Structures are given as C-alpha cells and as structure tokens.
Amino acid sequence: RGLGDVYKRQAAMSDDAFLFDNDTGFYDSSIEGIDIDAEMMLLNPIQGLNNQLMPTTQNGLRNGDLRASLLSIAGTNPVPRIRKIAAKLAEVVGTTKVQVVDDLSQVTGRTAAGLFEPETNTISIDANKGMNVHTVLHEMTHAATSASLANPLLPEVKQLQAIFNTVREQMGEVY
C-alpha cells in the first residue's frame, strides 16, 4: 500500500470517523464498503458544534470565566470528540480573556459571531450570533494557536521560524 491508498481511505472516511473517537477499535468485514452514515441514524458532529450554549456556559462567558465555560461544554456536549477538544482547550486558557458584546459588527465593521484579538489576548463573542459551541471553540483555538506561536522555545515554532527565514532569504522583504 502506498501513500495514495492511505489518502483514498482517509478521504472516504466520514467526519464521524474522526470526531467519534472513543478509543474503541474493531473491524467488521460485513460493513466494508457501506456508507454507515447513510445506513444508520448517527449523531451529526456538526449538530454538536451548532448547539446553543447552556445558560450556565453563557453566564460563565458573560462573567469572563472562559475556562469554566469550556469545561461546561466539555461536560455537556453530546459529541465525545467535541467534549475532548473543549477539555483540552480549557487546559490552555492561561491569561486569555473573554467578553460578550451586544453587537460585534460595531467593532469589526461586518457581521461576526466572534473575534480573537492577539494584541490584547481577548476573545469577543457576539451576544446574538456567537453564543454557540462552534464560536467559542473556534475563537479559543485562535487564542491557543497565538499563545503557542508566541513561545519561541517550542520545537514547532523553531521549525516555522526556520521556514520563514529561508523563504525571506529567497524572496526578500516583499512580504
């Protein structure tokens, strides 16, 4: 099997195969080649992202408690993979702040559900359009990525810096 075969197999897997990871492995040759999603009524992982936030989660955001809000998502979301993601993000909140804004379009100049500002390490959530799991996880992922990129000691950051330096040498200061 070559890399192309692995890619074709992964491309054929549904999102559920990646999002529903309960660490249980099994193989059933009787279902090989069957689109399980089409055959069974499985929980749609997008549904887990579109969920409105529980009132306690919303209160946590309004009170600036990002970690508690992420832990609330981790404890209540019906999709196991989303629960894991929320729990991992809760571990790296650090000094990231959160605020709920009545109308984020007044800040951004366009419709937006959420916004992460790396300069202030602050997540802003639109009170009407952003009070859902997707927005909170999305903006917290920006915050976690920003914090990681700001740490020059991480091996991944050293690698990215080396790539950047090589490209800069080849292209000059165009960008």
Side-chain angles (χ1 to χ4, degrees):
R1 289 175 41 145
L3 187 57
D5 294 328
V6 172
Y7 175 76
K8 287 177 192 169
R9 167 117 170 81
Q10 286 180 339
M13 294 177 78
S14 72
D15 288 341
D16 292 335
F18 294 104
L19 290 173
F20 290 107
D21 176 16
N22 62 3
D23 299 322
T24 304
F26 72 92
Y27 178 75
D28 183 353
S29 62
S30 68
I31 62 170
E32 190 171 345
I34 295 174
D35 182 356
I36 300 298
D37 291 344
E39 299 295 323
M40 301 175 74
M41 297 294 286
L42 296 176
L43 181 63
N44 181 349
I46 302 303
Q47 192 174 6
L49 288 172
N50 265 351
N51 288 2
Q52 290 299 308
L53 298 173
M54 302 288 284
T56 55
T57 310
Q58 290 183 28
N59 288 338
L61 292 173
R62 285 190 175 97
N63 292 324
D65 196 340
L66 182 56
R67 185 173 184 282
S69 297
L70 287 164
L71 289 173
S72 174
I73 293 168
T76 60
N77 195 278
V79 180
R81 185 69 181 139
I82 292 173
R83 289 195 307 263
K84 285 183 183 180
I85 291 168
K88 288 292 183 185
L89 288 172
E91 293 175 10
V92 297
V93 167
T95 61
T96 302
K97 298 174 282 304
V98 65
Q99 61 185 3
V100 177
V101 179
D102 287 334
D103 185 4
L104 198 50
S105 68
Q106 298 297 317
V107 176
T108 63
R110 62 183 174 85
T111 301
L115 172 73
F116 173 67
E117 297 177 272
E119 303 82 16
T120 61
N121 194 25
T122 302
I123 294 172
S124 297
I125 305 288
D126 187 283
N128 297 308
K129 297 173 187 70
M131 291 298 244
N132 57 64
V133 173
H134 177 260
T135 301
V136 173
L137 297 184
H138 179 97
E139 298 307 332
M140 185 55 211
T141 301
H142 283 301
T145 303
S146 179
S148 293
L149 290 175
N151 182 351
L153 300 177
L154 288 177
E156 299 84 358
V157 175
K158 289 178 182 179
Q159 192 174 19
L160 284 171
Q161 188 64 51
I163 292 168
F164 177 76
N165 292 340
T166 301
V167 170
R168 186 175 17 181
E169 289 170 10
Q170 294 173 0
M171 298 191 69
E173 298 294 327
V174 175
Y175 294 99

